[in-house]
Amino acid sequence: MNERAISFGESGSLFGILSQPDVADPLRPAVLIPNTGVSHRAGPSRMHVELARALAAAGVVSLRIDNAGLGDSEPIPGRLGDPFAPDLRAAMDALDARNLSSGYIVLGIHSGAHDAHQAARGDPRVVGAAFIDGYTHRTPRYWINRTMDRLADSARRANAELRPQIGLTRQSGDALHDALLNEIHYYDLPTAARMQLDLVEFMRREMSLLYIYTGDVENEYNYPGQLIEAFPLLRGYRRMTLRHIPEADHRFIRRASREAMIDVLVSWVIRVPGQPH
Amino acid sequence: MAQPLFGMLHRPAGAVRRTGIVLCTSWGTEYLRSYRGLRQLAQALSHSGFPVLRFDYSGTGDSGGDGRSARVDTWTADITLAAAELRTSTGCDSICLLGLRFGALLAQEAIATGAVAASAIALWDSPPSGEVFVRNLQQMDEALNEKVSQQRRRRSQLPPPARDELLGHEWPEGLAADIGRLPGLRKELPGRVIFVSRDRTPPDSVESIRLPDAGHWSDVERIHSPWIPGPSIRIVAERLADGLP
């Protein structure tokens, strides 16, 4: 395995670490890992580093990147709103020029799942996408479970407090200092109709999809089949894997959970076929 | 076999100063919180003409190695390597170590043991001692575990932490004792010593830079929140530019 830093994007303002196995298979897709929240590319509890090295050990190329304005990447002047999918596209351009892979898998955790979804939506080079604690859409059963859970657990759980949110934008700058993490607004959930259209597109392209939900989003996702019930078109889609792991978290503060998650991700990635030529 | 270290060199803009600055980062959650802030500090210092090197200790961040073999001796040796690399890469003829939190303790250790010959050291929010730093981390760990447990339902509790992990980071046996042996502000460090803090006051004999921003290092609510204290960064960069060749 070897790793090296690369600059990419317009005027080389974006930064990432490319991990390559000793013998790379150019017919395999490479994995792109965007930031999780505002942490730099090493990821929460060094998750992205450990994942990239495990992927390399399994023969898979990966690039863990800093989105514009995070980690070691420069902000993009004038960029506003929903910002990071272009950075993933720039990463694909950079790897295309190196002929290291056949298609891409975008793998995002929480806010990174949003970036992965947006990148997958707009770029046919994406053949697979893994979303950990990505979009959640509620169902009638979700509301029933939530009511039951609140009755059962109300004595021990503090009520979630609604906090004002600031936007994660270029203008935030120093305002991020002194901001609590749960005050930072990362993205807006797409409507169910928009999500449905995107899933139709993903399925038309025969993308491999992995959805994982942990206990960190149990207030939004509270039973294993919620995604399927929210979007029945996914039922029977053979390239979709759905895992509900309530005893895990997306900050990976337990090594056991982190290692188990890496095993799940690597074993899924190596089964994703490359882009047909 | 030694593992490769990851570093970022900031070349100076304009007139080049003779002093190169090595930024010594903190540990674990504090390392993650301060990554972007230390980058901004490095940029500000390089704009003032200093060559600056940031780097990740062995077994942390993008550097090679496994955090489970982390020890103070290894990280002190990493600072030595970083200082040598900065001299070689830029031709600077003197070194200033700027350590944040745990990095300040390590930087002092590197100088006190003679591993690094530095003409100056800046200690930013340095803990009173290694022992206090360890105790603070352990208290934060307990508070985080309690918070996470309270936030989650009974069926979705995280597994209990392993003995060799703390706050989501590797905490191998022996590391606490290693860090606990590090003293706070050392007497008789060679060269210039600059104490940088909002809340702690050094002895009268020690030069200090008073900051406007708090680090919130003991606040479990901010354990994953970014530390990017713009006003403090500007002040530190200006003061170092005033005082170092």
Side-chain angles (χ1 to χ4, degrees):
Chain A
M1 195 268 296
N2 69 80
E3 292 187 305
R4 60 196 165 107
I6 66 168
S7 295
F8 60 97
E10 203 172 321
S11 66
S13 63
L14 300 173
F15 186 86
I17 303 284
L18 180 63
S19 298
Q20 294 177 258
D22 292 331
V23 182
D25 178 356
L27 298 180
R28 273 191 168 172
V31 176
L32 306 177
I33 309 169
N35 301 94
T36 300
V38 292
S39 291
H40 75 293
R41 64 191 171 277
S45 300
R46 214 185 180 204
M47 171 68 174
H48 299 183
V49 176
E50 292 179 11
L51 173 60
R53 291 175 184 174
L55 287 168
V60 178
V61 172
S62 72
L63 180 65
R64 52 185 187 273
I65 74 169
D66 283 327
N67 296 326
L70 298 176
D72 285 303
S73 289
E74 298 293 340
I76 304 288
R79 182 189 280 184
L80 292 172
D82 185 21
F84 297 134
D87 301 344
L88 284 164
R89 285 196 285 277
M92 289 184 240
D93 294 342
L95 294 197
D96 276 353
R98 290 169 167 82
N99 278 323
L100 294 172
S101 64
S102 173
Y104 297 93
I105 296 167
V106 286
L107 189 159
I109 301 166
H110 200 219
S111 68
H114 165 75
D115 303 330
H117 181 101
Q118 297 303 319
R121 191 170 85 181
D123 200 310
R125 291 174 292 181
V126 177
V127 296
F131 310 100
I132 300 173
D133 286 350
Y135 297 144
T136 55
H137 289 80
R138 294 169 180 178
T139 62
R141 187 171 158 196
Y142 162 85
W143 288 107
I144 293 168
N145 287 349
R146 179 180 155 108
T147 304
M148 300 301 286
D149 282 340
R150 287 205 158 190
L151 289 172
D153 258 6
S154 59
R156 63 184 298 275
R157 297 183 66 238
N159 285 329
E161 193 180 332
L162 288 175
R163 296 176 184 275
Q165 293 194 324
I166 65 169
L168 176 60
T169 67
R170 190 175 63 84
Q171 285 85 350
S172 297
D174 292 350
L176 277 177
H177 180 57
D178 276 348
L180 295 172
L181 210 58
N182 59 0
E183 293 173 330
I184 298 171
H185 176 68
Y186 294 106
Y187 58 83
D188 293 318
L189 186 69
T191 63
R194 174 76 251 178
M195 179 78 172
Q196 174 99 1
L197 283 174
D198 291 348
L199 291 173
V200 167
E201 172 67 8
F202 292 168
M203 292 167 69
R204 186 191 64 74
R205 284 162 44 195
E206 296 193 342
M207 276 175 56
S208 297
L209 301 172
L210 172 63
Y211 287 88
I212 298 176
Y213 292 97
T214 77
D216 273 356
V217 290
E218 65 184 347
N219 286 330
E220 291 89 39
Y221 194 99
N222 64 21
Y223 65 100
Q226 186 177 322
L227 178 71
I228 304 278
E229 285 192 8
F231 299 101
L233 81 162
L234 285 172
R235 198 182 307 277
Y237 179 52
R238 66 189 174 89
R239 291 188 188 272
M240 205 270 296
T241 304
L242 173 61
R243 298 285 300 271
H244 184 226
I245 314 176
E247 68 280 10
D249 70 326
H250 65 234
R251 293 201 179 107
F252 309 102
I253 63 173
R254 296 286 188 271
R255 185 195 304 126
S257 299
R258 195 163 68 241
E259 290 176 346
M261 186 69 78
I262 288 171
D263 283 347
V264 168
L265 292 170
V266 172
S267 61
W268 177 80
V269 163
I270 61 176
R271 294 198 313 271
V272 176
Q275 194 169 35
H277 291 280
Chain B
M1 193 176 81
Q3 299 281 351
L5 299 182
F6 172 82
M8 292 290 278
L9 177 63
H10 296 252
R11 294 196 179 274
V16 180
R17 292 172 188 269
R18 297 196 337 258
T19 307
I21 301 179
V22 177
L23 300 189
C24 304
T25 187
S26 192
W27 175 90
T29 49
E30 295 184 357
Y31 156 78
L32 286 175
R33 282 191 66 198
S34 60
Y35 193 87
R36 184 78 180 180
L38 286 182
R39 179 180 187 270
Q40 290 193 1
L41 175 64
Q43 287 178 320
L45 291 166
S46 66
H47 288 153
S48 297
F50 294 108
V52 183
L53 182 64
R54 298 181 284 133
F55 72 101
D56 293 338
Y57 304 120
S58 299
T60 75
D62 289 309
S63 283
D66 185 334
R68 278 173 269 200
S69 54
R71 298 307 288 244
V72 162
D73 284 353
T74 311
W75 291 337
T76 308
D78 292 344
I79 295 175
T80 310
L81 276 177
E85 179 65 32
L86 183 58
R87 283 182 197 274
T88 305
S89 302
T90 68
C92 62
D93 58 19
S94 66
I95 291 289
C96 169
L97 299 184
L98 190 158
L100 177 69
R101 297 279 296 154
F102 173 60
L105 300 178
L106 278 181
Q108 285 193 93
E109 178 75 1
I111 293 174
T113 56
V116 175
S119 59
I121 181 169
L123 310 168
W124 190 321
D125 281 351
S126 181
S129 68
E131 189 180 353
V132 170
F133 180 72
V134 168
R135 196 159 58 239
N136 183 51
L137 292 182
Q138 290 168 336
Q139 287 167 347
M140 293 276 278
D141 186 58
E142 283 176 25
L144 179 66
N145 288 333
E146 176 67 18
K147 179 185 165 197
V148 170
S149 173
Q150 286 292 325
Q151 283 176 336
R152 286 170 163 252
R153 298 190 172 92
R154 286 190 184 86
R155 65 168 182 264
S156 56
Q157 291 293 309
L158 294 178
R163 289 173 58 88
D164 59 349
E165 61 183 342
L166 198 72
L167 293 165
H169 296 265
E170 306 298 346
W171 190 250
E173 188 180 351
L175 184 60
D178 258 15
I179 298 174
R181 280 191 283 273
L182 296 175
L185 182 61
R186 293 175 188 254
K187 294 174 184 167
E188 298 173 9
L189 282 171
R192 198 165 154 197
V193 179
I194 307 162
F195 198 85
V196 183
S197 177
R198 187 192 79 155
D199 301 315
R200 292 188 61 218
T201 306
D204 287 342
S205 59
V206 176
E207 179 181 349
S208 75
I209 301 175
R210 181 69 75 176
L211 301 179
D213 303 296
H216 303 294
W217 303 114
S218 300
D219 183 352
V220 75
E221 296 297 327
R222 294 173 192 275
I223 202 163
H224 297 114
S225 294
W227 174 88
I228 311 174
S232 294
I233 287 169
R234 284 189 285 278
I235 289 169
V236 170
E238 285 168 10
R239 285 286 298 275
L240 293 184
D242 273 348
L244 295 175

